[in-house]
């Protein structure tokens, strides 16, 4: 951690918005930002209420924020609305009717464009299919799909009738589907035969088939025909999307839903073995994601916007689908890998569709940098106006590479800090308002009140690191962990219970200029290629193998992924392990969780180093993992007992 702070503090470069950008931006100066910020925190109800008024409410709210039952905050209580209506129907009057809502490019190069009118029709039709299959308001639906237009159609159709969706990232395994479906008791799974990834078919229906025997709550499966390989369809249970849609009526009025009606559940890793089901609701989420889409991406009606995230993560929910469509944007979706069929694919897409705003992750930027400047150099990229990043701290070198080679030194970069839990961007310097500083997320968004505090809740001075908290509620905040109010209170609200602050789990500091810099997670969560993984989750997967007695998983600095996964594994008595067993264990983890959780490095040890009180010496393991490239490691079993004895006093 400390080296990272030193690193970012040394970064004195700062990049003011280009005058051309600034002149047309929504917020054009630090003064204007400060003024709007002041109003937003002095009168948050007025601020958020004004934004909410831009949307459609079947019935207006009685109260913007009800804090009476904190931390179970209620937003826009008494209001009736529908986010699908606000993303679609609201745009059908006037010019947006024929505007492109979604531009889609499949990995093999097939394309599709849906105007607002067409998207509306398809959503209404699919909502009717869902009803026909017996789906009702409040029912839960799992969505396990590739990045194809039917994915946002399915989400918006659920939202339209008040069904609660939970998108499961297509890279997760059958076991991960079982755990999630079981947790929220899905009665339906929407999937596809497969999706394209680097020229190969990812067989989604096959994974669903593997999961289904352990998912008794699921009564119906809807399958999109995408990759056309053979799949098994069980009559009565499995239905082809296109067959259902053939006769479906395009008339489906949106349900009038309570502002606090659940919209979706999205699982994310925490510091225990089981992922947490983050619950987002309707009205506040709409207002928060729309407001940030408007100000952070500074979107104009003619813009083409592209976020490269997968909709399986929160970034795709908020900034491919809901926030962007709520403000009538044109959202580009791409199905496949950035380097298929060549490492210039993204830049080719930007030129092809004249993308103006481009939002991606630091891990992707590091990969582009590695593939070399020659790829973006072959493209004009002149349409680009604004760049963004999200998901993990961006190292200043990657920031500068992005600025020069993609933004061509004329596009501001917004480094956006937020979480699955926050639902919306919380910290980022608005692109026309103030200079960007590489490696620093920057200033809080309107109405957001972050602070850096010590363990006991004292605010720390500028330049000192501490824990990042948020001191007042915001509209897109999570409402609870699905089915587990107690864990919700414990994880996020117990640490600063007296103050009533939300604890983010991140370490951060603030510079003299008020800019926030995020250092990283302080809990047992690691950030691998911008994706959150719990070390305990990977440990539980490992110990379910007969080759493993105990496992300790730690993160270590990784050039491309940000953090790599290193697993220290002790072997049961009498079991002989070989070098090849490392691959067996990696595959085992892929099967239990998904390929993203595969350890980069596995080290077998006689025993895990422990303190006298029996705690695994994680700090020692982190140091060992960071200090040595174990790919070249040839010893099969290591003995850490001497090191452990040397370190005991320090760790306990
Ligand atoms: C990290 C992704 C530094 C952070 C939207 C946070 C970041 C976790 C940034 C949430 C950023 C996200 N700079 N760190 N701009 N954005 N993080 O839930 O540790 O997948 O707590 O949400 O990613 O990850 P999640």
């Amino acid at each position: 951690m400390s080296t990272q702070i030193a690193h970012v503090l040394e970064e004195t470069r700062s990049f003011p918005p280009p005058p051309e950008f600034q002149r047309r931006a929504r917020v054009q100066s630090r003064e204007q930002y400060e003024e709007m910020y002041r109003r937003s925190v002095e009168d948050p109800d007025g601020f958020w209420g004004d934004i909410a008024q831009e949307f459609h409410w079947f019935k207006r709210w009685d109260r913007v924020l009800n804090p009476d039952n904190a931390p179970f905050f209620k937003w826009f209580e008494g209001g009736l609305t529908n986010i699908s209506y606000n993303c679609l129907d609201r745009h059908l009057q006037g010019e947006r009717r024929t505007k492109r809502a979604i531009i889609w490019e499949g990995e093999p190069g097939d394309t599709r464009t849906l105007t607002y009118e067409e998207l509306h029709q398809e959503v209404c039709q699919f909502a009717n299919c869902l009803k026909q299959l017996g789906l009702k308001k409040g029912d839960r639906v799992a969505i396990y799909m590739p990045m194809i237009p039917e994915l946002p159609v399915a989400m918006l159709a659920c939202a339209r009738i008040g069904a609660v969706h939970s998108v499961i990232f297509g890279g997760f395994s059958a076991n991960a589907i079982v755990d999630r479906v079981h947790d929220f008791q899905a009665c339906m799974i929407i999937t596809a035969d497969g999706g394209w990834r680097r020229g190969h078919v990812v067989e989604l229906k096959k994974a669903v088939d593997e999961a289904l025997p352990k998912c008794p709550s699921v009564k119906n499966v809807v399958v999109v025909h995408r990759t056309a390989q053979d799949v098994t369809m069980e009559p009565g249970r499995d239905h082809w999307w296109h067959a259902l849609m053939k006769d479906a009526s395009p008339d489906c009025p949106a349900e009038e839903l309570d502002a606090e009606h659940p919209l979706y559940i999205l699982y994310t890793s925490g510091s225990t073995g089981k992922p947490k089901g983050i619950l987002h609701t309707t009205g506040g989420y709409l207002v928060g994601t729309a407001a940030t889409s408007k100000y952070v991406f500074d979107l104009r009606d003619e813009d083409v916007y592209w976020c490269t995230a997968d909709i399986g993560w929160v970034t795709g929910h908020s900034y491919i689908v809901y926030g962007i469509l709520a403000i009538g944007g044109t959202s580009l979706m791409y199905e496949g890998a950035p380097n298929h069929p060549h490492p210039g694919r993204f830049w080719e897409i930007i030129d092809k569709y004249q993308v103006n705003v481009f939002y991606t992750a630091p891990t992707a930027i590091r990969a582009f940098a590695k593939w070399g400047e020659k790829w973006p150099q072959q493209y004009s990229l002149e349409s680009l106006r604004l760049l963004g990043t999200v998901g993990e701290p961006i190292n200043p070198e990657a920031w500068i590479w992005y600025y020069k080679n993609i933004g061509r030194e004329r596009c501001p970069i917004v480094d956006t800090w937020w979480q699955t839990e926050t639902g919306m961007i919380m910290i980022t310097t608005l692109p026309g308002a103030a200079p960007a500083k590489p490696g620093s997320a920057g200033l809080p968004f309107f109405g957001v009140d972050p602070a850096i505090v010590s363990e006991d809740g004292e605010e720390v001075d500028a330049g000192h690191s501490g824990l990042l908290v948020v001191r007042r509620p915001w509209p897109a905040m999570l409402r609870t962990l699905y089915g587990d109010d107690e864990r919700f209170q414990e994880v996020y609200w117990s640490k600063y219970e007296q103050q009533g602050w939300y604890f983010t789990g991140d370490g951060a500091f603030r510079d003299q200029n008020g800019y926030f810099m995020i250092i990283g997670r302080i809990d047992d969560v690691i950030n691998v290629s911008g994706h959150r993984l719990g070390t305990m989750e990977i440990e539980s997967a490992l110990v379910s193998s007969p080759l493993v007695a105990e496992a300790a998983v730690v993160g270590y600095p990784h050039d491309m992924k940000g953090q790599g996964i290193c697993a220290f594994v002790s072997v049961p008595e009498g079991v002989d392990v070989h070098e090849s067993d490392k691959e067996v264990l990696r595959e085992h983890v892929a099967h239990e969780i998904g390929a993203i959780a595969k350890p980069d490095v596995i080290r077998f040890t006689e025993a895990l180093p422990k303190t006298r009180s029996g705690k695994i010496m994680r700090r020692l393991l982190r140091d060992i993992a960071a200090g040595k490239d174990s790919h070249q490691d040839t010893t099969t079993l290591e003995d850490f007992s001497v090191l452990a004895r040397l370190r005991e006093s320090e760790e306990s």
Side-chain angles (χ1 to χ4, degrees):
M1 258 192 198
S2 51
T3 47
Q4 174 127 18
I5 299 182
H7 205 68
V8 182
L9 277 180
E10 276 166 25
E11 182 57 63
T12 49
R13 285 172 289 189
S14 117
F15 295 79
E20 159 70 358
F21 185 96
Q22 201 162 22
R23 235 178 300 124
R24 296 183 60 189
R26 283 213 164 74
V27 180
Q28 302 185 344
S29 65
R30 176 99 188 227
E31 295 68 44
Q32 192 190 347
Y33 158 80
E34 295 291 354
E35 173 56 31
M36 287 176 75
Y37 182 78
R38 198 169 43 74
R39 173 175 177 229
S40 75
V41 287
E42 276 172 14
D43 176 20
D45 284 13
F47 178 80
W48 293 116
D50 279 354
I51 293 178
Q53 277 186 43
E54 295 171 24
F55 296 94
H56 179 81
W57 297 81
F58 299 104
K59 176 180 170 283
R60 195 190 151 92
W61 58 92
D62 303 320
R63 204 170 168 188
V64 172
L65 170 67
N66 177 352
D68 295 347
N69 191 23
F72 300 95
F73 295 97
K74 288 196 173 127
W75 285 86
F76 303 104
E77 198 177 23
L80 293 176
T81 188
N82 185 302
I83 198 166
S84 179
Y85 186 101
N86 277 292
C87 289
L88 300 169
D89 309 47
R90 199 171 78 81
H91 306 308
L92 296 185
Q93 268 75 49
E95 278 179 13
R96 281 198 192 137
R97 190 168 61 87
T98 52
K99 176 178 172 175
R100 292 171 302 178
I102 292 176
I103 299 175
W104 172 78
E105 167 125 342
E107 193 184 77
D110 44 346
T111 66
R112 213 183 145 196
T113 300
L114 288 140
T115 62
Y116 272 97
E117 188 174 36
E118 289 162 341
L119 182 61
H120 172 260
Q121 167 160 344
E122 200 152 326
V123 168
C124 288
Q125 282 183 297
F126 192 61
N128 280 327
C129 300
L130 295 176
K131 284 192 197 163
Q132 198 196 320
L133 293 172
L135 203 70
K136 288 186 299 298
K137 179 172 157 183
D139 285 348
R140 275 90 52 215
V141 177
I143 300 182
Y144 184 64
M145 285 170 92
M147 284 286 286
I148 53 178
E150 288 83 351
L151 169 53
V153 168
M155 294 160 78
L156 290 161
C158 288
R160 195 161 187 88
I161 64 173
V164 184
H165 63 70
S166 184
V167 181
I168 302 171
F169 171 59
F172 282 127
S173 68
N175 280 321
I177 303 177
V178 174
D179 287 349
R180 287 161 174 77
V181 164
H182 185 78
D183 193 61
F184 67 90
Q185 292 291 298
C187 57
M188 182 186 289
I189 300 183
I190 306 173
T191 187
D193 46 1
W196 291 105
R197 189 82 194 169
R198 232 163 253 125
H200 297 286
V201 172
V202 182
E203 297 191 80
L204 299 170
K205 176 62 162 66
K206 201 167 148 201
V208 170
D209 288 341
E210 194 186 325
L212 278 168
K214 291 191 198 145
C215 300
S217 61
V218 175
K219 302 292 180 266
N220 289 290
V221 179
V222 180
V223 188
V224 177
H225 188 77
R226 164 77 188 128
T227 43
Q229 81 283 12
D230 278 343
V231 292
T232 9
M233 296 290 283
E234 194 176 297
R237 185 198 66 190
D238 298 354
H239 318 267
W240 285 111
W241 173 292
H242 55 271
L244 293 173
M245 288 288 271
K246 203 156 52 85
D247 303 316
S249 151
D251 181 23
C252 180
E255 282 281 324
E256 302 188 3
L257 301 171
D258 195 284
E260 284 296 343
H261 186 75
L263 173 64
Y264 69 79
I265 302 162
L266 187 60
Y267 285 82
T268 189
S269 297
S271 41
T272 71
K274 288 267 175 242
K276 308 173 283 195
I278 307 295
L279 182 78
H280 283 292
T281 62
T282 302
Y285 182 78
L286 162 69
V287 171
T289 56
T292 42
S293 296
K294 175 170 156 182
Y295 286 105
V296 176
F297 301 119
D298 206 47
L299 281 190
R300 303 202 202 113
D301 239 340
E302 64 276 17
D303 277 340
V304 174
Y305 159 92
W306 181 18
C307 164
T308 68
D310 190 290
I311 294 178
W313 309 102
V314 75
T315 305
H317 283 65
S318 297
Y319 299 112
I320 294 177
V321 184
Y322 291 114
I324 303 299
L325 299 179
I327 62 164
T330 296
S331 187
L332 190 142
M333 274 175 83
Y334 168 60
E335 177 186 29
N339 55 352
H340 190 83
H342 58 79
R345 184 73 190 266
F346 273 16
W347 323 128
E348 186 179 75
I349 293 175
I350 288 176
D351 276 1
K352 178 171 174 188
Y353 297 103
Q354 295 290 294
V355 171
N356 308 105
V357 180
F358 178 70
Y359 190 33
T360 194
T363 187
I365 297 167
R366 290 191 295 266
F368 304 143
K370 188 177 134 208
W371 297 334
E373 283 140 45
K374 67 172 191 289
W375 292 103
Q377 268 163 11
Q378 296 168 34
Y379 300 90
S380 130
L381 305 184
E382 247 171 279
S383 56
L384 287 175
R385 195 162 57 80
L386 174 63
L387 304 175
T389 83
V390 59
E392 54 177 313
I394 182 164
N395 45 313
E397 304 74 49
W399 196 102
I400 298 287
W401 190 92
Y402 194 33
Y403 186 75
K404 283 199 172 134
N405 292 287
I406 308 306
R408 308 268 161 89
E409 302 189 28
R410 70 183 148 70
C411 303
I413 299 179
V414 283
D415 177 353
T416 61
W417 176 85
W418 58 295
Q419 308 178 302
T420 307
E421 290 86 343
T422 69
M424 64 183 235
I425 294 168
M426 301 290 275
I427 300 179
T428 193
T429 306
L430 296 182
K437 186 173 167 186
S440 159
L443 301 167
F445 188 72
F446 304 130
V448 173
D449 181 21
I452 315 272
V453 300
S454 64
E455 283 284 337
D456 44 20
E458 296 293 324
E459 203 165 343
V460 304
D461 294 336
H464 291 271
S465 64
L467 306 176
L468 181 64
V469 297
V470 184
R471 293 184 293 198
R472 61 170 79 219
W474 63 99
M477 67 198 303
L478 79 167
R479 298 304 196 265
T480 191
L481 296 178
Y482 188 75
D484 202 345
D485 289 348
E486 221 167 283
R487 189 173 167 203
F488 166 68
Q489 285 173 286
E490 161 64 30
V491 175
Y492 304 106
W493 303 96
S494 65
K495 194 169 176 77
Y496 298 107
E497 194 177 352
Q498 271 173 347
Q499 298 90 338
W501 297 340
Y502 168 82
F503 176 51
T504 64
D506 276 338
F509 68 99
R510 196 174 193 173
D511 71 9
Q512 305 291 351
N513 208 12
Y515 280 36
F516 285 85
M517 265 148 273
I518 313 301
I519 302 163
R521 305 288 310 187
I522 56 122
D523 50 10
D524 293 326
V525 171
I526 52 182
N527 194 325
V528 181
S529 301
H531 300 316
R532 268 165 77 169
L533 290 167
T535 52
M536 282 265 291
E537 236 176 297
I538 307 172
E539 287 163 9
S540 327
L542 284 165
V543 295
S544 68
S545 155
L547 293 175
V548 179
E550 265 194 304
V553 169
V554 297
Y556 68 95
H558 188 289
D559 280 353
M560 299 304 290
K561 299 177 166 186
Q563 281 188 294
I565 306 171
C566 177
F568 294 88
V569 166
S570 71
V571 179
E573 287 266 326
V575 171
D576 255 347
V577 284
H578 307 279
E579 206 47 40
S580 59
D581 289 321
K582 294 184 177 174
E583 199 45 38
V584 173
L585 285 181
R586 283 162 46 79
E587 284 310 317
H588 179 74
V589 173
H591 186 259
E592 292 294 309
I593 305 174
I596 48 166
K598 274 190 195 178
D600 298 282
V601 177
I602 292 183
R603 295 174 74 157
F604 288 117
T605 158
E606 299 276 358
L608 293 173
K610 289 184 183 168
T611 62
R612 235 162 290 174
S613 59
K615 278 201 304 192
I616 293 176
M617 299 170 77
R618 287 182 172 275
R619 224 177 328 150
L620 170 65
L621 293 179
R622 273 196 290 269
D623 288 349
I624 295 172
K628 193 159 141 197
D629 182 359
S630 312
H631 287 294
Q632 274 94 49
D633 193 354
T634 47
T635 54
T636 312
L637 281 183
E638 294 169 301
D639 177 5
F640 296 121
S641 59
V642 179
L643 277 172
R645 276 197 298 279
L646 288 172
R647 285 284 286 269
E648 164 111 51
S649 54
E650 206 185 305
E651 297 250 350
S652 49

